[in-house]
């Protein structure tokens, strides 16, 4: 097996490293074959430790397989293949190389059997994904990428500090369940939550992802936050605080998406929202909830890829137009892209016969089964809100509503093939969820298609649709600036640093002036006493010298006898 020789993710990393050296059909072959080889390697990883390596006094479990790692490895490989197919016409090879290193390192994380290996791949992810953001090749993407790497380096520092403290406390590096009861485990949890887009640093998602290129955002949506979900499932299942952190993420995504005008920022806010469902499920911690978190991560990667591909196709075909106020009526000239966007939107709305329905309902039912009434009610309300901000808002204002006068055609064949593949997977899993359920970490006895489930969800959908159209004048996109927590380090932090710099400069000048004055007085004192005409520089007579010696002798005798 390939996994006996190399970690599965390394195949993608090697493919990314090869891309800058190939051109034309060979580059396309690498883009398509590397993810498929990785998928084959992932599929064949058996349960248990497959590859080890020595490091200091520890044995690293470089590849360890189980049902959870295979599930995430499979969907990550599928996302890399879909992203590579969509990006075949991307001329910026640096982005594609970084994207494949990024995808491969995320697969490396999910097959890591120890915390040290996990951390190494985790940091490779941070660096490679930053390059993807920078590959947007604009001043905005350069600044966003710098903020992105600073946030993720902070997360890496927290994770590393927690890892070191955990090893000191326990002597173990195994990637197994942890209780947040020590400083090390809390620091590790904080570092993971930074990558998940949890409060208060959640603004990095909407700040960075929309600044990537039309193809780069597809890759970014798939790996970082879902890798964090995987690690939470692995290390912190049943940690109650995650329920409330997840709910905060859900409503944050809803509120900000409803205020947004940029189509990709709408979709990116929905990433935080949907990851919030997964984090909440991890906090609930039952087998059904953890299955729901894993299944929803799988489904989310597929339908979010469809949605961001459709937005990327619009950007590509319109020359970079991304504001909802500048779009509308594109369904007339982009029917295929519109159909793909509708399928993705129906999936995120958990419409019956789509992948979102068979995964999200599992999380909500898990909350109900545990009699968590507040969490269940909030999850239901958030599920209805998702229909508003993506299912209707994104699709309606970009592809329908007022005619913008733009008439872009559907994108080239490779981009349509990628959208079609991901949309087809959304429908296949929605109609036939059993293959997905068979991959989940725990046995599944959940039946999504009952009369009560379907009727309840359809009622929710119809209610949300009615609210949307009744409040359409109020929710219409408008130009503006939305303030978020990142204001504290993008604006307030700079103002504070500037003011501190001015104050420090003034204090430094004052201190320097005081120092110069003291130095001048000291030099004057030395000049007075030791200069050519100073007291101590004069020639003393013999009698004065004898008198001085007698005085010193007298002082010595007094000290000695007393």
């Amino acid at each position: 097996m390939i996994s006996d020789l190399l970690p599965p993710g390394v195949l993608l990393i090697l493919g990314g490293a090869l891309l800058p050296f190939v051109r034309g059909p060979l580059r396309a072959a690498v883009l398509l074959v590397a993810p498929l080889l990785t998928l084959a390697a992932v599929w064949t990883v058996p349960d248990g430790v497959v590859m080890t390596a020595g490091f200091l006094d520890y044995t690293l479990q470089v590849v360890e397989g189980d049902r959870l790692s295979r599930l995430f490895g499979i969907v990550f490989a599928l996302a890399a293949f879909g992203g590579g197919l969509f990006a075949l016409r991307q001329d910026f090879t640096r982005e594609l190389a970084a994207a494949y290193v990024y995808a491969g390192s995320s697969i490396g994380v999910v097959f890591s059997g120890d915390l040290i290996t996990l951390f190494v791949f985790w940091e490779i992810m941070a660096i490679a994904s930053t390059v993807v953001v920078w590959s947007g090749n604009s001043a905005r993407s350069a600044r966003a990428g710098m903020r992105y790497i600073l946030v993720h380096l902070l997360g890496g520092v927290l994770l590393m500090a927690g890892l070191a403290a955990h090893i000191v406390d326990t002597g173990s590096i195994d990637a197994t369940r942890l209780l947040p009861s020590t400083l090390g485990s809390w620091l590790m949890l904080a570092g993971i939550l930074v990558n998940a887009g949890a409060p208060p640093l959640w603004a990095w998602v909407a700040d960075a992802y929309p600044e990537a290129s039309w193809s780069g955002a597809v890759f970014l949506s798939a790996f970082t936050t879902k890798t964090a979900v995987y690690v939470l499932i692995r290390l912190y299942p049943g940690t109650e605080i995650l329920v409330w952190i997840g709910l905060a993420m859900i409503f944050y995504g809803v509120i900000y998406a409803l205020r947004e005008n940029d189509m990709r920022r709408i979709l990116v806010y929905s990433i935080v929202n949907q990851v919030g469902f997964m984090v909440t499920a991890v906090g609930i911690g039952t087998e059904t909830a953890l299955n729901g978190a894993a299944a929803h991560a799988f489904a989310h990667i597929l339908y979010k890829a469809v949605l961001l591909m459709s937005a990327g196709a619009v950007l590509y075909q319109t020359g970079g137009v991304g504001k909802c106020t500048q779009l509308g009526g594109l369904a007339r000239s982009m029917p295929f892209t519109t159909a793909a966007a509708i399928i993705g939107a129906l999936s995120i709305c958990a419409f019956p016969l789509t992948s979102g329905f068979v995964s999200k309902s599992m999380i909500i039912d898990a909350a109900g089964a545990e009699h968590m009434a507040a969490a269940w009610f909030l999850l239901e309300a958030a599920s209805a809100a998702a229909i508003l901000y993506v299912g209707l808002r994104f699709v309606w204002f970009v592809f329908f509503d007022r005619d913008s006068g733009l008439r872009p055609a559907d994108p080239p064949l490779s981009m349509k093939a990628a959208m079609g593949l991901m949309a087809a997977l959304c429908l296949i899993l929605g109609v036939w969820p059993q293959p997905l359920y068979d991959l989940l970490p725990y046995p599944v006895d959940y039946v999504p298609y009952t009369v009560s489930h379907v009727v309840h969800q359809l009622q929710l959908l119809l209610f949300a649709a009615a609210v949307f159209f009744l409040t359409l004048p109020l929710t219409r996109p408008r130009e503006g600036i939305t303030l978020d927590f990142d204001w504290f380090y993008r604006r307030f932090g700079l103002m504070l640093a500037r003011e501190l710099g001015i104050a420090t400069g003034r204090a430094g000048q004052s201190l320097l002036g005081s120092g110069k004055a003291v130095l001048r007085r000291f030099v004057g004192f030395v000049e007075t006493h030791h200069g050519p005409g100073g007291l101590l520089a004069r020639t003393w007579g013999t009698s004065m010298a004898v008198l001085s010696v007698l005085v010193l002798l007298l002082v010595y005798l007094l000290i000695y006898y007393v």
Side-chain angles (χ1 to χ4, degrees):
M1 290 184 295
I2 300 175
S3 58
D4 292 333
L5 303 174
L6 287 173
V10 173
L11 294 172
L12 261 182
I13 294 174
L14 292 175
L18 182 61
L19 282 173
F21 304 101
V22 293
R23 296 288 184 273
L26 187 56
R27 189 186 83 150
V30 172
L31 278 172
L32 299 179
V33 171
L36 294 177
L37 288 176
T38 303
L39 179 61
V42 166
W43 197 272
T44 58
V45 174
D47 288 349
V49 178
V50 177
M51 182 181 296
T52 61
F55 177 73
L56 300 178
D57 295 330
Y58 301 100
T59 299
L60 305 184
Q61 298 171 359
V62 180
V63 178
E64 182 177 7
D66 63 6
R67 295 170 67 90
L68 181 64
S69 58
R70 275 193 299 275
L71 171 78
F72 277 85
I74 287 168
V75 74
F76 285 166
L78 286 173
F81 177 79
L85 179 59
F86 186 74
L88 279 179
R89 300 177 71 89
Q90 174 59 260
D91 296 327
F92 209 17
T93 303
R94 185 181 73 180
E95 176 192 297
L96 300 177
Y100 272 29
V101 172
Y102 174 37
S105 56
S106 69
I107 295 175
V109 168
V110 303
F111 281 104
S112 298
D114 67 90
L115 297 173
I116 295 176
T117 304
L118 185 150
F119 176 77
V120 170
F121 282 116
W122 188 272
E123 291 303 286
I124 296 173
M125 279 178 53
I127 296 169
S129 56
T130 302
V131 176
V132 176
V133 176
W134 277 333
S135 298
N137 210 24
S138 67
R140 289 173 61 90
S141 65
R143 292 192 296 268
M146 183 58 67
R147 293 188 293 269
Y148 177 90
I149 189 63
L150 290 175
V151 170
H152 285 278
L153 287 177
L154 171 63
V157 168
L158 292 171
L159 183 60
M160 185 68 245
L163 171 59
H166 175 72
I167 293 174
V168 169
D169 289 340
T170 65
S172 172
I173 61 170
D174 292 338
T176 56
R177 182 174 181 175
L178 302 175
L179 295 175
S181 56
T182 64
L183 176 62
S185 59
W186 277 111
L187 287 173
M188 290 173 65
L189 178 59
I192 295 162
L193 288 173
V194 169
N195 269 29
L201 296 178
W202 41 23
W204 67 260
V205 184
D207 179 40
Y209 287 6
E211 303 306 329
S213 72
W214 53 269
S215 56
V218 177
F219 288 103
L220 292 168
S221 71
F223 303 113
T224 299
T225 52
K226 264 62 72 184
T227 304
V229 169
Y230 163 83
V231 178
L232 288 174
I233 296 173
R234 176 72 69 192
L235 300 183
Y236 294 97
T239 302
E240 187 175 353
I241 192 174
L242 294 178
V243 174
W244 308 108
I245 291 174
L247 289 170
M249 294 169 66
I250 289 171
F251 285 95
Y252 162 85
V254 169
I255 293 168
Y256 275 85
L258 287 172
R259 295 173 54 84
E260 188 52 56
N261 183 29
D262 185 279
M263 63 175 176
R264 290 203 298 176
R265 286 177 68 88
I266 293 173
L267 297 177
V268 168
Y269 279 123
S270 76
I271 293 176
V272 181
N273 168 272
Q274 295 297 296
V275 171
F277 278 90
M278 304 168 209
V279 172
T280 300
V282 177
I284 295 171
T286 63
E287 290 189 358
T288 300
L290 296 177
N291 277 341
H296 200 50
F298 195 105
H300 176 263
I301 288 172
L302 299 180
Y303 64 65
K304 186 59 63 179
V306 176
L307 290 166
L308 281 166
M309 284 177 182
S310 62
V314 171
L315 281 175
Y316 185 82
Q317 293 297 102
T318 60
V321 179
K323 301 289 188 182
C324 291
T325 49
Q326 299 170 342
L327 297 168
L330 300 188
R332 295 176 175 84
S333 58
M334 302 182 75
F336 187 92
T337 305
T338 304
I342 290 173
I343 292 172
L346 290 175
S347 295
I348 201 172
C349 294
F351 192 85
L353 304 181
T354 65
S355 58
F357 178 77
V358 302
S359 61
K360 187 183 292 184
S361 57
M362 194 181 299
I363 296 172
I364 297 173
D365 282 9
E370 293 301 300
H371 307 290
M372 302 174 71
W376 178 88
F377 177 79
L378 292 171
L379 288 171
E380 287 281 13
S383 185
I387 303 165
L388 295 175
Y389 70 76
V390 174
L392 291 172
R393 198 165 192 268
F394 165 69
V395 173
W396 179 259
F397 290 120
V398 173
F399 296 101
F400 298 98
D401 196 37
R402 297 179 298 195
D403 189 356
S404 63
L406 298 173
R407 289 293 180 270
D410 273 318
L413 180 60
S414 59
M415 298 170 72
K416 289 195 291 186
M419 287 189 285
L421 171 65
M422 293 301 180
L425 289 173
C426 290
L427 294 176
I428 290 169
L429 292 179
V431 174
W432 185 34
Q434 197 57 46
L436 173 59
Y437 289 171
D438 290 341
L439 294 172
L440 295 178
Y442 301 102
V444 178
D445 58 1
Y446 180 76
V447 179
Y449 288 107
T450 63
V451 173
S452 61
H453 275 150
V454 173
V455 171
H456 172 75
Q457 190 63 19
L458 290 176
Q459 288 174 333
L460 203 63
L461 291 164
L462 289 172
F463 170 77
V467 170
F468 175 78
F469 286 108
L470 288 172
T471 60
L472 192 58
L474 300 176
T475 60
R476 189 171 295 281
R478 294 176 177 85
E479 294 285 352
I481 297 174
T482 303
L483 293 179
D484 202 340
F485 184 83
D486 61 338
W487 177 83
F488 285 98
Y489 55 84
R490 293 180 62 178
R491 293 288 184 268
F492 178 72
L494 290 176
M495 290 188 294
L496 184 62
R498 190 181 303 115
E499 291 300 320
L500 287 175
I502 294 171
T504 303
R506 290 172 178 167
Q509 290 294 330
S510 176
L511 184 62
L512 184 60
S514 300
K516 287 180 178 179
V518 171
L519 183 59
R520 281 194 298 269
R521 286 195 294 269
F522 176 74
V523 171
F525 175 81
V526 172
E527 178 70 20
T528 300
H529 292 83
H530 297 276
L535 177 64
L536 298 177
R538 298 172 187 170
T539 302
W540 289 9
T542 304
S543 58
M544 181 60 70
V546 172
L547 178 61
S548 300
V549 171
L550 288 174
V551 170
L552 290 173
L553 179 60
L554 178 62
V555 171
Y556 172 77
L557 290 173
L558 288 172
I559 295 173
Y560 179 79
Y561 286 105
V562 172

